[in-house]
Amino acid sequence: RVREVLQERINMLRLGRMLKKRGINPETFLHEASFYDIESNIRNCESCGQVKECEAALKTSAPGKVDLSFCPNDDAFKKYSGSAGK
């Protein structure tokens, strides 16, 4: 039930779309990430000041060609997208 609540929270934010944009399955993310990391990612998204950049990036159809480094969760997502260290 806890993961269902977290899934709902993620879906209410741009966080769910950002995960998908990065090629990360939100359900897989919820099962692989620790609760602490998930909560941290949610808080980062909720308090992010880069809303315009995020919305523009999410509207772009070419995920690999968009700079997503503005995202406060950028480093955290790298380990789940298989691009850690790049």
Side-chain angles (χ1 to χ4, degrees):
R1 177 71 185 136
V2 172
R3 290 192 193 274
E4 290 175 15
V5 171
L6 290 172
Q7 178 73 53
E8 290 172 14
R9 289 178 65 198
I10 287 171
N11 289 339
M12 290 173 42
L13 300 167
R14 285 178 297 282
L15 181 58
R17 293 184 291 154
M18 184 58 81
L19 285 167
K20 290 176 187 174
K21 178 63 108 181
R22 293 166 180 267
I24 302 169
N25 181 313
E27 288 183 20
T28 302
F29 172 73
L30 283 170
H31 289 286
E32 290 181 1
S34 70
F35 289 119
Y36 174 81
D37 287 345
I38 295 167
E39 282 292 336
S40 177
N41 296 146
I42 288 171
R43 283 191 303 277
N44 286 342
C45 188
E46 288 173 333
S47 64
C48 181
Q50 306 296 326
V51 175
K52 289 181 183 179
E53 293 87 343
C54 187
E55 284 298 328
L58 291 171
K59 290 178 183 175
T60 305
S61 61
K65 297 181 181 181
V66 178
D67 178 14
L68 301 174
S69 63
F70 65 86
C71 179
N73 290 317
D74 188 50
D75 289 336
F77 289 157
K78 287 179 181 176
K79 65 180 163 182
Y80 299 104
S81 67
S83 60
K86 291 186 181 177

